[in-house]
Amino acid sequence: MSTKKDKFSAEDKNYMKLAINLANVRKGLTGDNPSVGCVIVKNDKIVSIGQTGLNGRPHAETNAINNSFQSLVGAKIYVTLEPCNHYGKTAPCTNSIINSGIKEVFYSINDIDKKVKGKSFKILSNKNIKVRKGLLKDEVKDLYESYIINRIKKIPFVTSKIAISQNKLIYSDKKKRITSQVSDKLSHYLRYKNDGLMISSNTLNIDNPRLSCRLKGYENFSPKRIILDKNLDIGLNTRIFKSANKNNTIIFHQSSNKSKISILKRKGITLIKSKLDKKKRFDLKIILRKLFLLGIKNLLVEGGDKITKNMLKYRLVNRFYMFKSSKNLPKSKKHVIFSSNSILKKNYIIKSSISSKLAKDKITIYKRKYV
């Protein structure tokens, strides 16, 4: 039952929760467009659902309306984001809603796109459609944090991860594996959800990674590989070099090695000469802006201790996943200790944590503090 404090019913909230889940499934896979979820209800029954198509089209509302096998006259529609109201590569979703006969529209928050923002309420209301906004708005703001950062800051939404042992080592040459296979699957899920994956040349040459998504059925969703390689130290026998082509690999560098540049260009690798800071390190803010211009909207960073520390120090990471094993790694002459705990506590808060007997590892997800 609605109250003055909360104008939405339990049923309204449940329908919007379903719409949020639909949007989450496609999050990171809809290109320039936000991932939207949509649920249509008639006579208190769900008659259709929709979500934004892969690469951003068709829109969720259009999919839900077209998916229905019955008349939608008098129905209600629940949408996570304000429906679009302008002509672009597709017709406005407000037109589809009006033409369908839907009589009540629920959406959580206004779109931040200036072409859309706040206009749909008036357009739909003028057609005698009841419009209600604000339903589960806090949950939906969290859903669209990456979209908001993309639109306002013109940089990718950055997720970073690191695996550490019980004794806080992230590397030992005596033992490579730190976390369980279950944790590895979550790591590959993060790769699936991001369109770019960034590492340093040091990580590349030591670990010789594939940087692909190896979840069964999702191999084609592997992210673009991005390497920070100041001196073009990439080994020609590495998996990244051997599998590189014009569509999957970007290297940022500061090298004048014409021979190496020629070899890499012949593989189709995109080479970008990028400025260094006073400490002769890449300016990571410039890197992020360039990646955004290259179409990277969601970036996963799988760096070692140095790149992770710099990203966290300058608050460039939006979500940070710490995979902590219950086991110790053996210390050796070549071991690396995770050195960013104090920075993490200063600049980030714990959003959630996951632990189970199956995974054997504790996974803590940190969220950047906003000041």
Side-chain angles (χ1 to χ4, degrees):
M1 182 180 290
S2 298
T3 67
K4 290 183 179 179
K5 289 185 178 180
D6 189 347
K7 59 185 177 180
F8 301 108
S9 69
E11 289 78 12
D12 293 332
K13 293 175 183 177
N14 285 334
Y15 295 137
M16 187 59 79
K17 284 177 183 177
L18 176 55
I20 291 170
N21 288 340
L22 289 166
N24 263 318
V25 169
R26 285 282 164 86
K27 189 176 179 181
L29 305 172
T30 56
D32 292 336
N33 289 336
S35 178
V36 175
C38 180
V39 174
I40 301 177
V41 177
K42 187 174 181 180
N43 298 325
D44 298 322
K45 292 183 179 180
I46 295 173
V47 295
S48 189
I49 60 173
Q51 57 194 156
T52 306
L54 293 174
N55 298 317
R57 295 175 189 84
H59 291 184
E61 300 93 323
T62 300
N63 279 331
I65 290 168
N66 291 341
N67 287 342
S68 176
F69 290 104
Q70 61 179 275
S71 167
L72 298 179
V73 173
K76 300 177 181 180
I77 189 169
Y78 295 79
V79 193
T80 52
L81 190 66
E82 176 183 9
C84 76
N85 50 53
H86 66 95
Y87 282 90
K89 293 183 179 179
T90 60
C93 289
T94 48
N95 284 13
S96 298
I97 293 170
I98 292 165
N99 294 335
S100 71
I102 287 170
K103 286 302 178 185
E104 190 167 4
V105 176
F106 295 77
Y107 65 87
S108 293
I109 61 173
N110 284 340
D111 196 333
I112 60 168
D113 189 331
K114 292 179 181 178
K115 292 176 288 188
V116 179
K117 188 176 180 179
K119 298 174 184 176
S120 299
F121 192 101
K122 185 176 181 180
I123 291 169
L124 295 169
S125 296
N126 286 342
K127 294 294 182 177
N128 296 317
I129 295 173
K130 186 177 181 180
V131 184
R132 302 173 69 187
K133 63 178 181 177
L135 176 55
L136 299 186
K137 62 182 179 181
D138 290 336
E139 290 90 332
V140 171
K141 282 179 182 176
D142 188 61
L143 168 67
Y144 290 118
E145 185 181 5
S146 57
Y147 172 62
I148 292 167
I149 285 171
N150 290 164
R151 288 287 175 143
I152 294 176
K153 295 190 174 182
K154 307 296 183 186
I155 58 173
F157 182 87
V158 179
T159 301
S160 181
K161 61 172 282 289
I162 201 129
I164 69 171
S165 64
Q166 188 66 29
N167 55 339
K168 298 181 180 178
L169 268 62
I170 63 171
Y171 174 78
S172 171
D173 61 351
K174 290 187 176 181
K175 188 175 182 181
K176 292 290 181 74
R177 175 173 287 279
I178 298 176
T179 52
S180 68
Q181 291 183 348
V182 175
S183 292
D184 287 350
K185 287 185 178 181
L186 177 53
S187 294
H188 283 276
Y189 176 79
L190 291 175
R191 290 181 179 183
Y192 157 66
K193 281 292 191 177
N194 286 270
D195 43 19
L197 198 174
M198 187 166 77
I199 64 169
S200 67
S201 58
N202 192 45
T203 298
L204 185 150
N205 288 322
I206 291 174
D207 294 346
N208 192 20
R210 295 182 179 89
L211 301 185
S212 58
C213 174
R214 294 192 293 280
L215 293 176
K216 189 175 181 180
Y218 293 89
E219 295 87 353
N220 291 336
F221 290 93
S222 292
K224 189 166 289 190
R225 298 94 59 93
I226 299 144
I227 317 299
L228 302 183
D229 189 0
K230 184 170 64 174
N231 299 314
L232 291 180
D233 292 324
I234 178 173
L236 302 185
N237 289 319
T238 59
R239 292 186 177 108
I240 294 299
F241 176 79
K242 289 180 177 180
S243 61
N245 60 54
K246 65 180 181 179
N247 297 316
N248 70 2
T249 309
I250 301 169
I251 298 179
F252 288 91
H253 71 99
Q254 244 310 315
S255 174
S256 299
N257 185 334
K258 293 181 180 178
S259 174
K260 194 69 171 282
I261 288 170
S262 177
I263 291 170
L264 297 173
K265 282 186 173 179
R266 284 201 297 271
K267 284 290 289 183
I269 295 170
T270 299
L271 297 176
I272 301 174
K273 205 165 188 178
S274 193
K275 291 181 180 180
L276 304 178
D277 62 18
K278 294 178 182 179
K279 295 182 179 180
K280 301 298 180 182
R281 299 177 306 201
F282 284 113
D283 187 323
L284 294 170
K285 292 180 181 178
I286 291 175
I287 298 285
L288 292 180
R289 287 196 289 268
K290 287 184 177 179
L291 287 174
F292 182 80
L293 292 174
L294 290 168
I296 303 298
K297 301 299 186 295
N298 295 281
L299 176 68
L300 178 62
V301 179
E302 293 188 4
D305 191 60
K306 289 182 180 178
I307 186 173
T308 299
K309 190 171 187 176
N310 285 330
M311 296 289 287
L312 293 173
K313 180 180 179 180
Y314 294 106
R315 297 162 53 83
L316 299 176
V317 176
N318 303 104
R319 289 285 187 280
F320 183 77
Y321 286 71
M322 180 184 284
F323 295 77
K324 190 170 185 178
S325 171
S326 59
K327 298 179 180 179
N328 289 325
L329 275 186
K331 291 186 177 181
S332 63
K333 290 182 179 179
K334 293 183 179 180
H335 72 266
V336 180
I337 297 173
F338 181 62
S339 64
S340 299
N341 263 322
S342 59
I343 296 171
L344 199 57
K345 289 178 181 178
K346 179 183 177 182
N347 292 341
Y348 292 80
I349 58 174
I350 294 176
K351 185 177 186 291
S352 59
S353 59
I354 307 166
S355 60
S356 70
K357 291 181 181 179
L358 178 65
K360 298 180 182 179
D361 306 315
K362 182 179 179 181
I363 303 165
T364 306
I365 305 168
Y366 293 84
K367 179 180 180 180
R368 195 182 79 175
K369 291 180 182 176
Y370 287 94
V371 294

